[in-house]
Structures are given as C-alpha cells and as structure tokens.
Amino acid sequence: MATPPSESLVALPPTLEREAVEAFCAHGAFPARVDASAVTRADGAGVALLWLLRRRGALVGEPAAAVAGAVRAFEAAQATVPAPRAEPNAGALTRLGQTVCASLARWGDAVRFLGETLWSLTHLFSGRFRWGDCRQAFVRCGVQAVPVMVLIGFLLGLILAFQSAIPLKLFGGQGFVGGLVGIALIRELGVLVGAILMAGRSGSAFAAELGAMKVNEEIDALETMGVRPVRFLVLPRVVAGTLALPLLALFVSFAGLVGGGVVMNVLGFSGNYYLHQLQTFVGLNDILGSFAKAFVFGFAVSEVGCWFGLRAGRDAGAVGTATTAAVVTGIVTIAVLEGVFSVVFYAMGW
C-alpha cells in the first residue's frame, strides 16, 4: 500500500479498489506526489481517486491503458454535470405567492377528486360496482355505530330537556320543553351530532385504511394494472357513508326524543301530552330537511376521509397526519354545509 503522506513520493498498489482507497484516504491530507504507474486495475472508487489526484496535479505516472481510459470517461462525465445554482432569497411577496399557488393547487386537486367521484357514480349499476365492499363498509360505519349513536342521542335529549326546562320555568312555559327538544333534534342536532360522530369514527377509518394501502404501495399496484382507485376503493366507501348517515341521524334523533320524554315525565307531563307537542311543533318539512342534510353530510364526510387517505405520505407518521386532517376537515366541512343549509332553508321558509 501507499507510503505515509510525509514521503516525497507515494506509490499506489496495482489493484486500486475500495479497501485500498479507504486505506489511502485514512492518512488525512493527500501527498503532493503520487505514483500511479503500477495501477493495472481499479473499481469506481479507484477511478474517482485517480481523477481527484489528477485534478489536484498530484498524479505522477500514468496507470494502465484501461484504467486511464476509465479516468478520462469519468472526467468527461463530470464535465456534463451542471454546477449547483444558488437559490435567491425569496422575499415576503414571493413566499406569499408560493403559498397562494400551493393552496389553489390543493383546491384544484380536491375539486378534480370530487368530479371523478361524481362521475364514478354513473357506474353504480353497471355491474362493475363492488357491492360486497360497499356492504362491508356500511356495516362498519353504519351498523356498528348504532350503539354509540343511541347513547349520545339519549344523553343529548336528556341534557337538552333539562337545560331548557330551567329558563322556561321562569316564564311558566315548561310545557313547551317537548316541542323545543323535538325541533332541535329533528332539524339540527340529530343529523349534526351524527355527522360529527361519523367524521371522528368512519372518516378517520377511511383515511387510515387508504393511507395504509398507500404506504404498502397497494394503490400504486392498482394504478399499474389500470384500475382506477376512485372507482375501486373510494366509491364503495362513499356510497356506504352516504346511505349510513341518514339512518344514524334517525337513531340519534329517536334516542334524543326518548331522553326528552323521560325528562317530561319527571316534570309531571304525560306521554300523550309529549307526543302532542311533537306533532304540533315538528312538521314534515323538518323531517325532509333533516334527511337532505344527512345525505349531503354523509357524502362529504366519506369524501373527505377518502381524499386525505389517498394523498397520505408513505410512512406511518404521514398516515396519522392524514387521519387527523380528515377528522378536522370533515368537521369544518360539516359546519360550513350546515351554514349553507340554514340560509337556504330560511330563504325557502322552512
């Protein structure tokens, strides 16, 4: 091997491979003169070392013809590599523009995903729709969610009745507690609470499932085989969520009405009087409006969960981030849609 760098001339060994290169570089600073005339064989690391020594003007003697040709080819390849360009410091206006463009690109991606999902609905009865996957998703996000929906709905009706009875008692209006509970549950709280629970339970599950498939490269495999992930994976989940939420909202509202009836009984009112209050204050428009909101909320929650799942990163942390984003965005979407429905129903006189 080469003599120490303190010598005036260092000779390289005939075989200049990785181990020999590491031993040569272990001395620290390169010597001023290196003799390469004995080199007859070199791998990539050896060729790179010879090129570096030649560039520094420390190479004395030429290696074998084959090795010298490899060094010249390596030098020509290095000449074609462009030098790194220093990025200018972006100003505040530039950073603002980049942020706006990135946000618009994400919105455009979301709108394109929504359009692809709506277009996939045309294949719902084409014979290629995966009804088996839709049934399984419906069981997970619908049937298995009934117990928690009933519990939350019952407690919601109980709390709402007790809390409304306190101020109404000041005006002698405790008899209207039943009507207040019925209107609040049927029109707003039943479907709203059901949608929020579905976003936390099923929307996160959709995002986690598709995110895990993204990490395992299953979605890439589907795209390689020419299968569209939206039609194959997203559509069954979206259809299941859209059909499940109206039924879940119905369970929440019914359980809440039962809770309100318990409070009315505690306050001294009969069950017939409570039913009469519900029939008086709750109309058909309230029920139809609630079902309309439930279908839209179910579609929105499922769509948001699937969208974040398909756009998750390729590590476990990214899957968790996508799941959290799906829940938060789903709840925000529900709040926005609730405001839109409130304005529309007010304009329609509902």
Side-chain angles (χ1 to χ4, degrees):
M1 185 53 206
T3 56
S6 60
E7 299 283 341
S8 59
L9 181 63
V10 176
L12 294 176
T15 301
L16 193 60
E17 296 181 346
R18 185 178 183 85
E19 293 77 8
V21 172
E22 292 178 351
F24 179 82
C25 296
H27 294 290
F30 289 165
R33 301 175 63 204
V34 179
D35 184 10
S37 58
V39 178
T40 59
R41 181 181 177 184
D43 60 0
V47 171
L49 176 62
L50 293 173
W51 171 80
L52 182 60
L53 293 173
R54 173 178 290 180
R55 186 177 181 184
R56 294 188 176 188
L59 195 62
V60 177
E62 288 292 329
V67 178
V71 174
R72 288 192 297 270
F74 184 84
E75 184 176 6
Q78 293 298 316
T80 60
V81 177
R85 184 177 59 182
E87 292 290 337
N89 294 328
L93 186 61
T94 301
R95 292 194 297 270
L96 177 61
Q98 292 174 348
T99 303
V100 172
C101 291
S103 300
L104 292 177
R106 286 194 297 270
W107 276 103
D109 192 16
V111 172
R112 183 168 56 252
F113 179 75
L114 175 61
E116 187 175 359
T117 304
L118 294 176
W119 174 253
S120 299
L121 289 174
T122 59
H123 301 277
L124 198 60
F125 301 100
S126 62
R128 292 178 292 178
F129 180 70
R130 297 172 61 86
W131 287 105
D133 291 349
C134 181
R135 183 173 58 255
Q136 294 178 1
F138 182 84
V139 171
R140 291 197 303 268
C141 68
V143 177
Q144 296 178 359
V146 170
V148 67
M149 294 289 181
V150 171
L151 175 62
I152 296 298
F154 179 80
L155 295 177
L156 182 64
L158 201 74
I159 295 170
L160 183 61
F162 270 125
Q163 293 297 323
S164 59
I166 296 174
L168 288 177
K169 184 179 180 180
L170 300 175
F171 303 97
Q174 280 188 318
F176 297 101
V177 170
L180 188 148
V181 172
I183 292 177
L185 287 173
I186 298 298
R187 288 182 64 94
E188 300 294 339
L189 294 181
V191 62
L192 186 61
V193 172
I196 292 175
L197 290 176
M198 185 176 179
R201 188 182 182 278
S202 302
S204 60
F206 291 163
E209 289 173 0
L210 297 182
M213 296 178 69
K214 186 73 174 293
V215 172
N216 296 331
E217 299 182 354
E218 297 177 33
I219 295 178
D220 295 337
L222 290 175
E223 294 176 344
T224 302
M225 293 185 295
V227 179
R228 303 186 68 86
V230 172
R231 187 185 306 173
F232 191 80
L233 299 174
V234 174
L235 189 59
R237 291 171 170 81
V238 170
V239 172
T242 304
L243 297 178
L245 186 55
L247 299 178
L248 293 177
L250 183 63
F251 278 104
V252 173
S253 300
F254 181 77
L257 293 178
V258 172
V262 172
V263 176
M264 289 291 288
N265 187 47
V266 172
L267 295 176
F269 297 95
S270 64
N272 292 331
Y273 178 81
Y274 181 55
L275 293 177
H276 176 72
Q277 286 286 304
L278 294 179
Q279 293 174 358
T280 302
F281 288 97
V282 179
L284 181 61
N285 292 340
D286 301 323
I287 299 175
L288 295 179
S290 176
F291 271 100
K293 289 194 295 185
F295 280 110
V296 176
F297 289 174
F299 178 86
V301 168
S302 305
E303 184 80 355
V304 169
C306 294
W307 187 77
F308 278 100
L310 288 179
R311 276 142 189 83
R314 298 186 179 273
D315 56 88
V319 174
T321 302
T323 303
T324 303
V327 175
V328 175
T329 306
I331 294 175
V332 172
T333 304
I334 292 169
V336 173
L337 291 175
E338 177 66 29
V340 173
F341 273 110
S342 298
V343 174
V344 172
F345 288 169
Y346 176 80
M348 296 175 60
W350 284 16

